[in-house]
Amino acid sequence: MASKALIFLALLSLSAAAPRPATAETYEEDKPGLVMDFYKDTCPQAEDIIKEQVKLLYKRHKNTAFSWLRNIFHDCAVESCDASLLLDSTRRSLSEKETDRSFGLRNFRYLDAIKEAVERECPGVVSCADILVLSARDGIVSLGGPYIPLKTGRRDGRKSRADLLEQYLPDHNESISVVLDRFAAMGIDTPGVVALLGAHSVGRTHCVKLVHRLYPEVDPALNPDHVEHMLHKCPDAIPDPKAVQYVRNDRGTPMVLDNNYYRNILDNKGLLIVDHQLATDKRTKPHVKKMAKSQDYFFKEFARAITILSENNPLTGDQGEIRKQCNVANKHH
């Protein structure tokens, strides 16, 4: 994958002293990157505004937190953490939001509401990419998960990456080997992948994504006690994708990010093929068992993996732009 990191040209010294050689180390020193509290001088209230907006929106619409959590996966895993996910379709390009791989993503209007609140305080300063990441961080807390300190300083991309989604985003029906390889390319190791999939502890899965495990025959790997509930929720072999037909990922604590997911999949109650593989593959099962026993271990690995994901190849410095509206790139005259 071609790096999008900005490399500054070495400046020639105007003094009589010989210029310092432009080594790789020199470039690394000069390359702008993400830092903690990036907006402390330009918009010191930014992170507090985002946090308060997340709390307010979560209080009114509980399922927004699931959306914020999914956003960070779907944006940052596709080549760069640059809010390309939020761009609407144009005459020339399809939005990432409208692809099959993004089925079920919604509630983008609430991200727009957060952006508007930040813009009122600091116009043209805070990127949509940072708002996307920080809303996921604060949404995780709303769901009972750990607080994860995350760096900021991302800038927004100007183009959709809809044509790259299948290259980067693993599908729920792909082999666990493919899933591990895709995340490894971002620097996320096996326990990190197991922890990230713990996000399936919350939210719901549309029947479209799981009926192949029920029809024409029930997948024998499924727990028979759970099958009855799945069939009740998904009575049609070909469900209407627009219908509200879904199964909660975790019937016990559906609104809480916790390690109950791992106990469920060890009991063959995972809804997706990838859930089942996670609990049975020899590379991942030891971590599943450890996370089922220890929520602290789950949270530690989850926080580490989210941090790596959030720092995946961001645009920084003078790359990209700061969008005025998250769903459209700025117009340049």
Side-chain angles (χ1 to χ4, degrees), residues 125-160:
V125 174
V126 182
S127 69
C128 296
D130 277 339
I131 291 172
L132 182 150
V133 165
L134 295 179
S135 63
R137 178 193 70 184
D138 297 332
I140 288 166
V141 173
S142 297
L143 291 167
Y147 175 79
I148 308 170
L150 296 178
K151 296 177 181 178
T152 44
R154 296 165 195 79
R155 288 171 65 85
D156 300 322
R158 291 185 48 79
K159 63 178 182 178
S160 164

Side-chain angles (χ1 to χ4, degrees), residues 1-16:
M1 180 178 68
S3 173
K4 298 187 298 183
L6 176 70
I7 299 180
F8 290 117
L9 294 173
L11 296 174
L12 294 175
S13 172
L14 296 179
S15 67

